């Protein structure tokens, strides 16, 4: 490595500079979603777009390309060494960025802003026809983008999926999802027919916002989110933004008559935040100090939200405190009634409100439609009908309006096509990691019931967070669990948990 040391150091300096610029944009975006007065919108758009332009310029500079080209032809040690990983991933990003013509990058960002605005108004008015021309334009632009990025002779959708989940192919997702769907559809039907159902209304009683804020923050700290290196605020759409080592921002939202929203939303974002806080500071700004993919990121949030936060053992520990915080609503509710209420399963229209069992079906529906849009088999004007038909097939119900049907999510208007699968991939990875952690750490339920979350957090730090982008997602799963990527662990977990909760045979 000695002869490469100087160009390698130059590369690291440059990557850190680009990443630092990106983190400035993250601060501005976080502020826009939390504290910025609405009058600041125009100036903020200019600020963010200035930075995005600069970032693209730096990230596609010929000097950077030359540096990467030279380094990738020299010996950098083993494929998974720090140097080899940083060069490999930096080269991958560089090649992607330079494949996109400047005109397309600008057009996508312009149309995305306008289209999101049109979507928001059309959704409010439940008027799909007002959104349709924007969606049509967005689909065309995404097809063009995919064609620029396409590397294989597989479907164009591969290129979009690869933007969010590097290395994962449409075919892989398809086969895993169809295996999952075969098991989920009958499970949902059995649960619907179950005679012994929990009382969901328990979580819809009165939950004062101040107490919710205190309780959810306290539990986020207990599972391991470090509030000395992060904070939580309120935004319309919850998110997590890791600016860099030492500063990770979470947001949530409150409903004083729905316990689940803020509480599980906070655990979810804290799970994302603990990934960001678990990355090694010495690699900050380089691929070795960055999360693997959206799916792996989502595996961390869903693990803390669902596998931990919605487990009975978690509440064996936390319920006493919850009752003290919400004496009027929970004072006379036994633990198991509460546990049933937070895990109530029901086919519903809205993805973000879905339970653990039906959630993945919402994703599969979107994945199916997106592939057709990108393949040119589904035009914008046909989407509402296709949505409703597929919805009926999966859930046995049909949305009453497009606002709670095909227009419910912001993603398509923003150009995030190929993004949805990463949510379900996150659930799949989470179950595989959790199963491996159980094997290595012993009975996690016993630990959770005692309020001991540190062992799991440290296991995740060591096995996932500190590895940065050393391995692509599917390979990371193999390295960590010894098994290949598969929905088996998720299916087993869901059947066991909900079979017992709903007394299914
Ligand atoms: Zn998430």
């Amino acid at each position: 490595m000695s002869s490469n040391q100087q160009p390698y150091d130059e590369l690291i300096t440059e990557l850190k500079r680009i990443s630092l610029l990106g983190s400035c944009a993250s601060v501005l975006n976080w502020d826009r979603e939390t504290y910025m007065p609405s009058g600041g919108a125009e100036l903020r758009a200019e600020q963010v777009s200035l930075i995005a332009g600069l970032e693209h310029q730096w990230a596609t500079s010929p000097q950077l390309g030359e540096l990467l080209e030279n380094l990738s032809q020299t010996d950098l040690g083993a494929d998974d060494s720090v140097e080899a990983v940083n060069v490999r991933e930096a080269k991958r990003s560089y090649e992607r960025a330079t494949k996109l013509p400047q005109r397309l990058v600008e057009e996508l960002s312009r149309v995305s802003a306008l289209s999101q605005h049109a979507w928001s108004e059309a959704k409010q008015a439940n008027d799909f026809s007002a959104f349709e021309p924007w969606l049509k334009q967005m689909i065309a632009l995404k097809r063009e983008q995919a064609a620029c990025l396409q590397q294989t002779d597989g479907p164009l959708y591969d290129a979009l999926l690869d933007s969010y989940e590097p290395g994962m192919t449409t075919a892989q997702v398809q086969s895993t999802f169809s295996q999952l769907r075969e098991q989920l559809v009958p499970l949902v039907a059995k649960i619907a027919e179950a005679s012994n159902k929990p009382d969901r209304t328990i979580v819809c009683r009165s939950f004062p916002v101040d107490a919710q804020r205190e309780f959810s923050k306290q539990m986020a700290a207990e599972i391991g989110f470090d509030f000395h290196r992060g904070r939580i605020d309120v935004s319309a759409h919850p998110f997590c933004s890791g600016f860099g080592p030492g500063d990770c921002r979470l947001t949530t939202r409150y409903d004083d008559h729905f316990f689940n929203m803020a509480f599980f939303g906070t655990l979810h974002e804290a799970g994302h935040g603990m990934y960001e806080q678990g990355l090694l500071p010495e690699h900050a700004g380089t691929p070795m100090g960055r999360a693997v993919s959206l799916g792996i990121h989502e595996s961390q949030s869903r693990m803390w939200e669902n596998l931990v936060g919605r487990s009975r053992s978690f509440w064996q520990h936390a319920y006493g405190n919850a009752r003290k915080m919400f004496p009027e609503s929970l004072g006379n509710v036994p633990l198991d009634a509460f546990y049933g209420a937070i895990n109530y399963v029901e086919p519903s229209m809205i993805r973000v409100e879905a339970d653990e069992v039906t959630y993945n079906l919402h994703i599969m529906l979107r994945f199916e439609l997106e592939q057709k849009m990108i393949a040119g088999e589904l035009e914008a004007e046909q989407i509402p009908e296709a949505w409703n038909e597929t919805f009926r097939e999966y859930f046995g119900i049909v949305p009453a309006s497009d606002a709670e049907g095909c227009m419910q999510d912001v993603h398509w208007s923003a150009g995030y096509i190929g993004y949805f699968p990463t949510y379900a991939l996150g659930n799949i990875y989470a179950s595989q990691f959790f199963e491996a952690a159980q094997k290595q750490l012993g009975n996690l339920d016993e630990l959770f019931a005692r309020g001991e979350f540190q062992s799991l957090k440290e296991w995740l730090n060591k096995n996932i967070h500190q590895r940065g982008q050393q391995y692509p997602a599917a390979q990371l799963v193999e390295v960590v669990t010894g098994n290949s990527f598969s929905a088996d662990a998720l299916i087993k977990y869901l059947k066991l948990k909900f079979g017992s909760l709903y007394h299914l045979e």
Side-chain angles (χ1 to χ4, degrees), residues 142-156:
K142 293 305 284 188
R143 284 173 53 87
E144 191 184 345
Q145 187 194 34
C148 295
L149 295 171
Q150 180 74 324
Q151 282 172 314
T152 64
D153 49 10
L156 269 187

Side-chain angles (χ1 to χ4, degrees), residues 252-296:
T252 192
R253 55 182 171 176
Y254 299 94
D255 178 338
D256 61 3
H257 278 84
F258 188 37
F259 174 80
N260 293 7
M261 183 187 275
F263 187 80
F264 293 108
T266 301
L267 288 197
H268 179 100
E269 300 309 331
H272 281 303
M274 284 153 71
Y275 192 173
E276 292 293 315
Q277 290 183 335
L279 298 167
L280 290 174
E282 61 264 39
H283 294 311
T286 72
M288 274 301 289
R290 198 169 294 140
V292 177
S293 68
L294 287 187
I296 297 293

Side-chain angles (χ1 to χ4, degrees), residues 268-269 272 294 297-298 301-302 305 419 423:
H268 179 100
E269 300 309 331
H272 281 303
L294 287 187
H297 227 304
E298 196 67 9
S301 56
R302 301 218 169 234
E305 175 195 356
Y419 187 124
Y423 293 122

Side-chain angles (χ1 to χ4, degrees), residues 106-128:
E106 284 168 7
E107 183 73 353
L108 265 167
S109 113
R110 188 185 69 83
V111 173
S112 155
L114 296 170
S115 160
Q116 282 183 68
H117 185 72
W119 163 78
S120 157
E121 295 199 328
K123 182 184 171 183
Q124 253 173 22
N126 186 33
D127 179 9
F128 181 80

